[in-house]
Amino acid sequence: MRIALAQLDQTLGDLHGNGLAIVDAIEAGRRAQASLVVTPELSLCGYPPEDLVLRPAFLAACAAELAALATRVHDVVALVGFPELHRGARYNATAVLRNGRVECVYRKHYLPNYTVFDEERYFEPGREPCVFDVDGTRIGIVICEDCWFPAPAAQARAAGAEVIVVPNGSPYHTEQQHARRTQIEARVRETDVPFVYLNQVGGQDELVFDGASFVMDADATMAQQLPAWEPTLAIAEFDGARPRPVRGELDTSLEPNVYRALVMGVRDYVRKNRFPGVILGLSGGVDSALTLAVAVDALGPSRVRAVMMPSQYSASISLDDAREMARIVGVRYDEIPIGPMFDAFLGALAGEFARLPVDATEENIQARVRGTLLMALSNKFGTIVLTTGNKSEMAVGYATLYGDMAGGFAVLKDVSKTLVYRLCHYRNRLGRVIPERIITRPPSAELRPDQRDQDSLPPYDVLDAILEAYVERDLAPADIVAQGFAPADVSKVVRLIKISEYKRRQAAVGIRITPRGFGKDWRYPITSRWNEWERVGVQPT
């Protein structure tokens, strides 16, 4: 028996285009003499469809496309994921297509309703197994979340399954590849049958899907590993129900996977939303440098434009480094000094600001002038503005609304400052694109004389460790202090996270790469009197 694993990058809502991609995969599988072709979870409509599945017209269109697709399936069996309306209830389903018709349907049992998932809003849980025959081998289906619980696989095994296939829409984060393998290994040991784990690939808004599909034998050894971050069709060969081992390894190290996630997120967001290109503000700092590198790797230099907008506080080396990087990567580069515009704002406000000290107000005006210029260029030429702020800044509000937060897509929104540096070093190991001085200089917003980020924030290694503990692991401030962090630092950071919630609600969508990003999996109220920072016994300044 041969099973074709179609690790597809589908476009949400493009039912006809997705259907054609599935047909192409089926035809390629047939040419490779596959008896079964497996496509990912909800492969017909794309994943996750969210509130589209609440629209009757969308479900009707999916049903019509599936029926048309089924007529093209002959001499092979195909598994196609689709949102099903059955007896008045909606299901996350996988159809078994054979001989021009839908032979049977499996309906997902466990509906995830945590982090970025909200499937209980859309679907009802299925109850029954689905087991069918392929070349004399009994194949069972469980969908994605089902493999994180023993019951669905055990039910399939009890119904006679000798191989269990798992179509997935499993988004990437830094711990997910290991977690998937751990869960499948547990199910294999419980059922004593091989598993075929097939995951989608590609970007969908803030989510990125890494593929990394695999086949695990009944003894829990890895029989076959597909690549991460690449659409592919691979053939898994079986002797009866026993998979033949194929060489292949998955690089699970942090920097390569995160970098490819960012590249794929940018590429698919721009491609699937049909933007002609991107534009970003290049400051000579490390965040905009990494954003530029990712954009060029995702889209090519011809679709990327960088604009340097210096003020009287911009260091000459910032301009030199920005020019040098733009030259290395080969993008269009322009300079628009903001001094005259900044002076015009200050002149207009001179009466209001008379006898008041200079503070963050004047800094924010500079950022907002830059944001206005970038948005004007975006409007005129149709390109989307990539914002360049990182997760550390987003957490503590070290960003300006309508200024450096202005834009359509936030590439580094879930990337901490310390990880930014690691990714810069990683990208330069592949080929130097970021001038070394950009990486080694102390970070500065350059909005006032001799400014440094650490004037206002703890050192980034301290800040990021506190953020990881509080945001991603939900530790209480007192528990973070118990790990050795200064109470004043913990108190300050937790307070800044809370009072910056209103900014995050207005931030551009950005790529999620950690177990908890500032997107769908972070839902805190803006108005709240819950003050955890007071519980460490230090009032922040």
Side-chain angles (χ1 to χ4, degrees):
M1 178 178 63
R2 289 185 164 199
I3 299 178
L5 308 180
Q7 189 168 280
L8 300 177
D9 182 355
Q10 303 288 68
T11 299
L12 204 148
D14 184 7
L15 306 186
H16 183 64
N18 293 342
L20 292 177
I22 292 169
V23 168
D24 288 345
I26 292 170
E27 292 300 322
R30 184 189 289 116
R31 290 193 298 272
Q33 299 181 318
S35 302
L36 173 65
V37 180
V38 184
T39 69
E41 179 178 11
L42 295 181
S43 57
L44 186 63
C45 66
Y47 184 85
E50 300 183 302
D51 279 15
L52 285 175
V53 299
L54 302 180
R55 304 195 69 81
F58 182 75
L59 294 175
C62 288
E65 192 66 42
L66 181 71
L69 177 59
T71 65
R72 305 185 65 173
V73 180
H74 295 278
D75 304 319
V76 68
V77 181
L79 302 187
V80 176
F82 74 108
E84 180 193 36
L85 182 63
H86 178 68
R87 296 179 180 175
R90 295 182 300 270
Y91 296 95
N92 182 336
T94 291
V96 179
L97 307 184
R98 187 182 343 224
N99 297 327
R101 67 184 185 89
V102 177
E103 180 175 282
C104 56
V105 172
Y106 177 81
R107 301 176 180 100
K108 188 175 182 178
H109 292 192
Y110 285 89
L111 304 174
N113 219 64
Y114 53 87
T115 64
V116 300
F117 303 106
D118 200 13
E119 290 199 23
E120 290 181 6
R121 175 180 172 89
Y122 306 113
F123 300 115
E124 296 296 323
R127 305 293 182 193
E128 301 300 322
C130 179
V131 178
F132 56 97
D133 184 89
V134 175
D135 289 346
T137 299
R138 300 287 287 168
I139 308 294
I141 307 171
V142 301
I143 298 176
C144 201
E145 187 77 3
D146 290 345
C147 74
W148 292 69
F149 298 89
Q155 192 179 33
R157 182 72 178 95
E162 299 169 280
V163 175
I164 293 178
V165 175
V166 190
N168 287 269
S170 177
Y172 171 81
H173 63 67
T174 54
E175 301 173 10
Q176 190 69 350
Q177 292 170 343
H178 173 74
R180 293 179 197 136
R181 290 192 180 201
T182 299
Q183 291 300 321
I184 294 299
E185 181 177 344
R187 302 293 86 80
V188 164
R189 295 192 185 281
E190 292 161 1
T191 59
D192 197 33
V193 300
F195 270 63
V196 176
Y197 185 99
L198 188 278
N199 191 28
Q200 73 179 54
V201 70
Q204 173 56 39
D205 295 343
E206 72 186 69
L207 302 180
V208 282
F209 299 86
D210 56 321
S213 308
F214 59 87
V215 179
M216 188 175 286
D217 205 345
D219 61 2
T221 60
M222 192 64 67
Q224 189 167 348
Q225 176 66 64
L226 273 63
W229 309 113
E230 296 176 19
T232 189
L233 187 136
I235 302 298
E237 294 188 285
F238 285 72
D239 295 318
R242 182 87 185 264
R244 294 180 183 175
V246 177
R247 262 195 259 174
E249 288 189 12
L250 187 66
D251 181 359
T252 59
S253 53
L254 179 68
E255 292 90 344
N257 279 285
V258 171
Y259 193 83
R260 295 190 73 177
L262 299 178
V263 169
M264 175 167 282
V266 170
R267 180 186 297 132
D268 271 7
Y269 194 83
V270 171
R271 176 177 66 89
K272 292 177 180 180
N273 287 291
R274 298 177 179 172
F275 289 106
V278 301
I279 186 169
L280 61 94
L282 191 63
S283 68
V286 69
D287 298 314
S288 64
L290 179 59
T291 303
L292 177 59
V294 168
V296 171
D297 287 341
L299 306 170
S302 65
R303 300 179 69 190
V304 180
R305 181 179 178 185
V307 181
M308 174 60 160
M309 295 165 284
S311 75
Q312 59 266 45
Y313 304 121
S314 299
S316 60
I317 58 175
S318 295
L319 278 81
D320 293 341
D321 291 342
R323 292 165 184 160
E324 173 66 6
M325 182 168 180
R327 183 194 64 78
I328 293 171
V329 297
V331 298
R332 175 177 173 178
Y333 170 82
D334 300 282
E335 293 180 5
I336 306 177
I338 68 166
M341 289 167 272
F342 180 42
D343 291 341
F345 271 94
L346 295 182
L349 293 165
E352 295 288 337
F353 290 179
R355 294 179 298 280
L356 295 175
V358 173
D359 57 17
T361 305
E362 286 78 6
E363 297 181 27
N364 290 339
I365 290 172
Q366 295 170 69
R368 288 174 179 139
V369 168
R370 292 180 172 123
T372 298
L373 291 172
L374 288 174
M375 290 307 301
L377 293 169
S378 171
N379 292 161
K380 186 63 71 175
F381 299 106
T383 52
I384 185 173
V385 175
L386 300 182
T387 68
T388 61
N390 60 63
K391 185 175 188 176
S392 306
E393 296 168 347
M394 191 63 63
V396 297
Y398 201 68
T400 303
L401 277 174
Y402 330 119
D404 54 310
M405 289 178 65
F409 198 59
V411 180
L412 306 181
K413 185 177 182 178
D414 201 26
V415 181
S416 68
K417 187 73 169 190
T418 49
L419 184 53
V420 166
Y421 283 106
R422 292 174 65 177
L423 292 173
C424 288
H425 287 298
Y426 167 76
R427 180 59 185 87
N428 273 358
R429 288 197 297 272
L430 302 180
R432 178 182 174 272
V433 295
I434 302 174
E436 187 65 21
R437 187 167 58 185
I438 289 179
I439 304 173
T440 58
R441 287 177 62 198
S444 170
E446 295 190 331
L447 297 172
R448 64 174 185 264
D450 302 318
Q451 185 179 28
R452 297 289 183 270
D453 289 3
Q454 253 61 87
D455 297 342
S456 306
L457 300 172
Y460 277 115
D461 56 344
V462 173
L463 173 63
D464 288 348
I466 295 172
L467 292 175
E468 191 272 337
Y470 186 77
V471 173
E472 296 179 27
R473 294 192 285 135
D474 284 323
L475 292 186
D479 294 330
I480 302 173
V481 171
Q483 294 183 349
F485 294 96
D489 286 342
V490 175
S491 178
K492 179 176 184 177
V493 170
V494 172
R495 174 181 174 273
L496 289 173
I497 291 171
K498 179 183 183 295
I499 66 174
S500 301
E501 186 62 38
Y502 77 101
K503 289 188 178 183
R504 289 189 290 272
R505 289 286 186 94
Q506 301 177 68
V509 65
I511 304 164
R512 173 186 183 258
I513 57 96
T514 69
R516 196 170 200 186
F518 289 128
K520 295 176 184 176
D521 42 346
W522 179 269
R523 307 182 193 186
Y524 279 84
I526 296 172
T527 305
S528 168
R529 292 193 179 182
W530 173 249
N531 297 332
E532 278 191 289
W533 64 83
E534 295 178 353
R535 295 169 178 261
V536 300
V538 175
Q539 285 294 324
T541 56

